[in-house]
Amino acid sequence: MANEVAIDIRDVSKRYGPRWALARLSYSLPVGRSLLLTGHNGSGKTTLLRMIATASFPTAGTLQVLGKDSRTDREAIRHQVALLSHASFLYEDLTAAQNLIVLGRLMGLEDPARDSAALLDRVGLSARTDNPVRQFSAGMRKRVAIARLLLKAPALALLDEPFGELDPAGIAQMEGLIAELKAKGTTLVLATHMVEQGIRLTETRLPSGAPGPGSTR
Amino acid sequence: MPHETPLVFLLVVVGLIGVHLFVPKTRGWVWKVVAGIGVVMFAIQPYFALVWAPPEREMGEVYRIIYMHVPQVWMALLALTINAVCSFAYLMKKSWVTDSLAEASAEVGVYFGIVGVTLGAIWAKPTWGVYWDWDPRLTTAAILIVIYTGYLALRGFVEDPEKRATWSAVMGIIAFVDVPILWYSVQWWNSLHQTQSSPKTVDPQMVMVLRWSATAFLCLLFVFIWHRYLAAKETRMKEVALPEALPPARPEAA
Amino acid sequence: MFNFALGPDTALMRAHAAGYLWLGILFSSVLSLGESFRIESENLSLDGLKLAPADARAIFIGKALGNTLMLWLLSLVLLPVTIALFDVKVTLGIPALIGILLIGSLAISAPGTVYAAIASNARARDVLLPLLLFPILIPALLGCVKASALIFEGDPMNQLASWIRLLVAFNVVYWALGFILFPRVIEDD
C-alpha cells in the first residue's frame, strides 16, 4: 500500500493558449497520503488539479493517476477521482437534489435519490434540497458541490479552494468532512490559501509557481 | 505545340512536387524550380489562350476567360481536398505539420475560389446576360466559399493552438463532407425550374491550352501553399515553444 | 416579419410560405442551440458531466436529441401560425408535414450540436454559430423547404420522395459524423 503511487507527475508542462500555466513539474504522491498545494493566484494549482482529474491534459510530459495514464486511460481514472473545483459543475435550473441524482444515475447507483438526500442532509442543506441552485448563495453552492464529490466516494479527492466562500461554521464543517475522507483512506490533494487548515489536514506540501534550483524527486 | 506537351509539363511539375514532399533535403530549391516553370508557362500562356486556341463556335472570343476561370476553380477544389486530408490526419495523430498545412490550403483555396468565381461571374455577363445566375456550379462554389471563410474565421477566433487545431479539423471534415450533398441538392433544386446546357464537344487545341493553364496554376498553387505553410508553421512553433529555461519545481516537506 | 419586409402580396406569400416557415425555424435554432450549451458553460457543468464519467458520444446523442425535440415542438407551434397567416392549404395532410418538421429538426440538430459546442467555447460565439452553421445546412434547408412546399401545394410529379431521401441521407451522414467527432470537440486534449 505504502509503495503504490496515486499520482505520478513527470516533467509536466501545460500551456493555455499562448500562456504557460505550469512548467516542467515532477512529483509523485503515494496512495493514502494527502498533499497541500500552496502558491499565489495563477501559480498553476487549479491547472494541476484539472489535469489530475483528466479535465485537461499535459501539453508535455506524462501524468499517471492511480497507475493509469491520464490521456489514454481517462475513463478508468474518472470513475475513481472526484474534483471539487472553482466552478461548481451544477446546473442552475435543477434543484440541489436533482443535480446529485443526475450524477448518481450516471454512476449507476441503486437509489440515487436516497443517497443524495442523505448527503445533502450531511452538508446541512436538508431544508433546501428542492430549491433550484439558481437561488443559492455561493456558500450553499459550495456545500452542494462537496456533497456531489462525496457521492462519488472517490479513491482520490481533489479539492480546489474548498474553504472559499464558506462561513466560519461552514469552514469547520468542511474541515470535518475532509478529515473524514482522509480517515477512510482517500488520497487527498488540497489547494488552498488557508494554509493553517491546509497544514492541519495534510502531510506533504508542494508550493507551486516558485521553482527552486535543482530537482528532487 | 505537339499534343502531349502540356501533359509532359504536368508530369514534370507533379514529379517535382513529389520530390519536394518525399525528399526533405531538396526543399530548399525544388520549389524555386517549380516557380520558374510556372513563370515560364504563365509568360507563354497568353499566346496560347488568346491567339493559338481557336475561337468558340457560339461564344466567339469571349470564352477565352475559361483558361483562367476553370483552372483556378480546379485549384481551389484541390486545395480544399488537401485541407480535408490534413484535417483527417490531424484528428488521427496530432501534428503541427498537418494543422499548418490545413490552414495554408484553406486560405489559398478560398483565395483561388474567390478569384475563380469572380471570373465566372464576369464570364456570365456576356454569355448569359447576367453576372449571377443560380447555376448549380456557381451556387455550390459560392456556398463553399462562405463555408471556408467561416472555417478561417473560426481559426481566427480561437487563441489556444490545440483547440484551434482540433475544432478546425472537425469543421474541415464536416465542411468537406457537405460538398457532394450540397452539389447534388443545388443541382436538383435548380433543375426543377431551368436547365443549363454546356457543350461537351471541345476542340483538342482547347483541351491542350486548358491543361497548359492548369499546370501553370498548379505551380502557383504549390508555391503559395508551401510559403503559407512555412509561415503558419513558424507562428505555431512560436505559440507552442516549451519554456526550456525554467528549472523544475521543487517539492518540500511541510 | 417576412411579409413586412417583402410587401403584402397574398398569392406570392402563400407560394413562399414553406420558405418563411423554415427560415423561422432556422433562426430560432441558433438561439436554442446556443442556449443548450450556455447552460453547460455556466458552471462548467459539461466538465462535471464528462468527469462523472459520461461517455462523450452519449452526451452528443442526448444533446442532439434534446435540441431536436426543442426545435420540433417550436416548429409545431409555428406551423398553425404559418398556415393561418399565409392562408395555405395543406394538400397532402398535416401528418406528412409533421413528419417533415421532425426530419428537418433532426437535420438541423446534428451538425448544430457539434457547432454549438465549438462556438460556445470561442470568442464571439453569437456571431460564430450562424456563420458556421447556416452554409452547412443549405442542403437540409433546401430539402425541407421543397418537401414542405410540395406538401402544401400537392405533388403531381412525385418529387416528394426524392427530397425526403436527400434529408434522410443528410441526417445519416451528420448524425454519424457528430457521433464520431463530438468527443474530440469537448475533450480538452
Side-chain angles (χ1 to χ4, degrees):
Chain A
M1 177 94 178
N3 290 331
E4 270 182 76
V5 178
I7 305 170
D8 190 22
I9 305 166
R10 284 194 199 170
D11 207 21
V12 161
S13 302
K14 177 65 183 177
R15 178 175 40 70
Y16 280 116
R19 197 177 57 82
W20 287 94
L22 206 62
R24 323 205 96 200
L25 178 73
S26 292
Y27 188 73
S28 124
L29 182 74
V31 164
R33 295 273 295 218
S34 49
L35 171 71
L36 173 66
L37 294 176
T38 54
H40 56 84
N41 293 332
S43 60
K45 302 190 295 288
T46 299
T47 304
L48 183 58
L49 288 179
R50 281 182 59 82
M51 280 197 289
I52 297 170
T54 74
S56 72
F57 301 91
T59 312
T62 59
L63 171 60
Q64 289 208 326
V65 182
L66 302 168
K68 295 167 190 103
D69 183 80
S70 78
R71 203 179 274 273
T72 55
D73 228 353
R74 61 188 76 162
E75 193 82 13
I77 295 173
R78 285 171 185 177
H79 278 289
Q80 301 185 59
V81 176
L83 169 69
L84 176 73
S85 87
H86 283 288
S88 62
F89 296 159
L90 301 174
Y91 288 102
E92 293 277 331
D93 295 315
L94 297 187
T95 67
Q98 285 168 338
N99 264 294
L100 264 64
I101 291 170
V102 167
L103 179 69
R105 286 214 193 119
L106 284 172
M107 292 165 49
L109 294 183
E110 241 170 63
D111 190 354
R114 189 197 55 207
D115 297 349
S116 309
L119 280 170
L120 287 171
D121 191 34
R122 280 201 41 208
V123 298
L125 282 174
S126 46
R128 306 291 296 271
T129 49
D130 293 327
N131 293 18
V133 171
R134 192 171 294 290
Q135 299 169 1
F136 283 16
S137 70
M140 289 163 73
R141 282 156 203 252
K142 202 77 173 185
R143 286 162 190 258
V144 184
I146 188 75
R148 198 178 179 282
L149 178 136
L150 293 173
L151 185 66
K152 272 194 92 173
L156 168 62
L158 309 165
L159 307 164
D160 194 358
E161 296 293 353
F163 306 113
E165 289 146 349
L166 288 174
D167 52 26
I171 290 174
Q173 196 186 14
M174 181 66 86
E175 240 186 296
L177 289 170
I178 295 172
E180 216 173 293
L181 270 174
K182 218 180 122 181
K184 272 192 279 181
T186 312
T187 310
L188 281 178
V189 183
L190 184 63
T192 182
H193 292 298
M194 307 203 38
V195 181
E196 193 189 317
Q197 276 87 355
I199 289 176
R200 222 180 296 153
L201 289 163
T202 56
E203 295 125 22
T204 326
R205 185 172 171 187
L206 178 65
S208 46
S215 152
T216 44
R217 273 198 23 86
Chain B
M1 177 163 66
H3 196 68
E4 296 81 12
T5 317
L7 279 181
V8 171
F9 272 94
L10 180 63
L11 281 178
V12 169
V13 169
V14 170
L16 282 170
I17 294 175
V19 170
H20 173 95
L21 290 181
F22 295 108
V23 192
K25 263 189 295 181
T26 62
R27 284 181 192 168
W29 57 272
V30 165
W31 73 266
K32 291 179 186 160
V33 178
V34 175
I37 296 175
V39 167
V40 172
M41 292 187 83
F42 269 119
I44 314 174
Q45 196 254 7
Y47 167 75
F48 285 142
L50 300 178
V51 182
W52 190 72
E56 213 266 346
R57 218 178 315 130
E58 282 165 40
M59 288 181 268
E61 305 291 345
V62 151
Y63 93 98
R64 292 179 192 276
I65 198 171
I66 199 177
Y67 300 121
M68 300 299 278
H69 162 67
V70 169
Q72 300 222 42
V73 176
W74 284 348
M75 292 309 128
L77 287 175
L78 180 59
L80 298 184
T81 308
I82 296 172
N83 174 271
V85 172
C86 290
S87 300
F88 182 75
Y90 182 88
L91 289 182
M92 288 288 113
K93 187 175 179 299
K94 186 187 147 180
S95 150
W96 299 119
V97 172
T98 45
D99 179 52
S100 307
L101 197 53
E103 177 179 320
S105 54
E107 207 172 292
V108 176
V110 167
Y111 162 73
F112 274 104
I114 290 175
V115 177
V117 168
T118 310
L119 289 175
I122 293 173
W123 187 17
K125 182 66 179 170
T127 44
W128 298 338
V130 283
Y131 283 112
W132 191 259
D133 186 74
W134 291 100
D135 161 75
R137 278 171 221 243
L138 274 180
T139 311
T140 308
I143 296 168
L144 277 184
I145 289 171
V146 176
I147 290 178
Y148 281 93
T149 308
Y151 171 92
L152 292 174
L154 176 70
R155 296 197 74 104
F157 275 128
V158 183
E159 275 164 26
D160 185 276
E162 273 90 6
K163 282 190 173 143
R164 186 202 297 131
T166 308
W167 292 348
S168 54
V170 165
M171 195 189 162
I173 290 174
I174 289 183
F176 193 72
V177 168
D178 208 41
V179 175
I181 310 179
L182 191 62
W183 164 247
Y184 182 61
S185 69
V186 172
Q187 197 175 32
W188 209 355
W189 165 69
N190 195 275
S191 67
L192 295 180
H193 52 98
Q194 61 171 321
T195 46
Q196 206 84 58
S197 63
S198 51
K200 284 292 163 212
T201 47
V202 186
D203 190 287
Q205 266 176 299
M206 292 181 183
V207 176
M208 285 164 68
V209 178
L210 204 52
R211 282 182 183 155
W212 181 275
S213 310
T215 307
F217 274 108
L218 182 62
C219 297
L220 194 64
L221 179 80
F222 168 69
V223 174
F224 276 16
I225 291 185
W226 173 242
H227 282 273
R228 186 61 187 79
Y229 161 76
L230 287 181
K233 184 84 185 302
E234 199 186 318
T235 318
R236 211 66 76 245
M237 281 341 217
K238 272 186 200 150
E239 280 174 332
V240 302
L242 268 177
E244 297 293 344
L246 279 175
R250 194 159 58 98
E252 284 166 14
Chain C
M1 210 50 84
F2 295 117
N3 46 355
F4 292 122
L6 299 170
D9 181 338
T10 325
L12 198 65
M13 285 200 306
R14 190 178 304 147
H16 291 166
Y20 300 142
L21 173 64
W22 279 102
L23 278 181
I25 295 171
L26 191 64
F27 288 138
S28 334
S29 76
V30 182
L31 298 179
S32 69
L33 288 167
E35 176 67 13
S36 82
F37 280 91
R38 194 196 55 75
I39 57 166
E40 294 289 350
S41 55
E42 213 165 31
N43 292 327
L44 298 186
S45 324
L46 193 58
D47 274 346
L49 218 49
K50 268 190 312 189
L51 302 181
D55 191 317
R57 290 168 297 188
I59 299 179
F60 169 73
I61 297 291
K63 279 276 164 201
L65 284 179
N67 283 321
T68 305
L69 190 64
M70 276 295 292
L71 272 184
W72 194 38
L73 293 179
L74 183 95
S75 66
L76 292 181
V77 174
L78 283 180
L79 179 61
V81 178
T82 310
I83 292 175
L85 276 185
F86 299 110
D87 187 29
V88 283
K89 279 192 280 293
V90 187
T91 315
L92 299 185
I94 300 280
L97 201 53
I98 289 176
I100 288 294
L101 290 175
L102 178 61
I103 299 178
S105 304
L106 285 164
I108 293 174
S109 298
T113 301
V114 177
Y115 278 8
I118 292 178
S120 72
N121 283 301
R123 283 188 290 136
R125 61 178 121 170
D126 300 329
V127 188
L128 208 51
L129 181 56
L131 178 72
L132 301 186
L133 185 58
F134 285 174
I136 292 287
L137 286 177
I138 286 177
L141 185 70
L142 276 180
C144 290
V145 171
K146 283 289 172 183
S148 308
L150 290 170
I151 292 172
F152 282 152
E153 290 155 15
D155 182 20
M157 287 155 77
N158 284 321
Q159 296 162 343
L160 185 58
S162 33
W163 286 112
I164 290 175
R165 269 203 297 276
L166 174 82
L167 285 171
V168 170
F170 187 93
N171 268 313
V172 169
V173 167
Y174 280 103
W175 280 82
L177 271 183
F179 190 75
I180 298 165
L181 295 177
F182 188 78
R184 299 302 298 268
V185 172
I186 63 166
E187 285 286 356
D188 203 359
D189 52 355

